[in-house]
Amino acid sequence: MNRKIYFCGSIRAGCQDRELYLRMIEKLQSYGQVLTEHVFYNIKDPSMDGMIPNPVTGKVKSDKEIHDGDVTWLDESSVVVAEVTQPSLGVGYEIGRAVAMNKKILCLFRSADTDKRLSAMIQGAHNNSTFIVKHYKEEEFPAILKEFFDQL
């Protein structure tokens, strides 16, 4: 399987969801290569506060390095899966770039786990084709992935 998956979720503002993101990445790996998986493995330590070390040098990447690397992976990907429960300017930016690149996008929102409402810019983009928004509980994630990837 040659599918390349760009997974995104809130890093700097969503550190409470790190373990969830890792479980999601593990499930996504059965559908293809998750280009961004190491980002989430590198930030397991809450003391890092969203800082991402360079896997070669161990030094923390600059914001410019993070941006440019992520845009490259986004361009290489065939699909984007975004966990959007934790509000994030970065995830919104990544989704917007993915739309401009004509990527197939799955956005996942745990409405039962938050008192927040999903942004109208995300919910309103749902079109049942190239931009899918699912309100979900974690136990529903495997079935949602199967449905999404079976339709590709």
Side-chain angles (χ1 to χ4, degrees):
M1 181 180 325
N2 257 350
R3 185 179 295 134
K4 293 184 178 183
I5 302 166
Y6 187 96
F7 174 77
C8 53
S10 178
I11 294 174
R12 292 186 177 172
C15 58
Q16 65 271 30
D17 281 347
R18 283 187 178 117
E19 294 303 318
L20 170 65
Y21 297 159
L22 294 174
R23 290 190 299 275
M24 295 175 92
I25 287 166
E26 186 177 318
K27 298 241 184 292
L28 281 166
Q29 288 170 334
S30 65
Y31 293 97
Q33 178 189 4
V34 181
L35 298 175
T36 52
E37 73 175 300
H38 69 282
V39 171
F40 295 93
Y41 285 109
N42 286 341
I43 61 161
K44 283 201 279 191
D45 180 359
S47 68
M48 290 298 289
D49 189 32
M51 297 180 293
I52 301 168
N54 181 304
V56 176
T57 66
K59 294 181 181 176
V60 173
K61 290 183 178 182
S62 71
D63 289 346
K64 176 77 171 143
E65 290 173 306
I66 293 168
H67 171 273
D68 293 353
D70 286 3
V71 170
T72 297
W73 290 323
L74 193 54
D75 188 48
E76 291 174 11
S77 70
S78 49
V79 298
V80 174
V81 176
E83 212 301 336
V84 296
T85 304
Q86 300 300 328
S88 168
L89 294 172
V91 173
Y93 176 84
E94 290 165 316
I95 292 169
R97 292 289 296 253
V99 168
M101 294 176 184
N102 297 312
K103 303 293 181 182
K104 178 123 182 185
I105 301 164
L106 172 63
C107 292
L108 301 158
F109 183 71
R110 296 184 328 275
S111 51
D113 292 349
T114 183
D115 59 350
K116 300 174 186 108
R117 292 180 60 198
L118 182 57
S119 166
M121 294 303 289
I122 301 298
Q123 187 65 57
H126 175 81
N127 64 15
N128 271 329
S129 175
T130 59
F131 198 111
I132 309 295
V133 177
K134 294 282 188 180
H135 292 247
Y136 79 109
K137 295 178 184 157
E138 186 177 353
E139 59 271 14
E140 299 168 334
F141 182 64
I144 290 169
L145 282 185
K146 181 172 179 0
E147 177 185 358
F148 177 75
F149 285 104
D150 282 353
Q151 293 178 5
L152 292 182

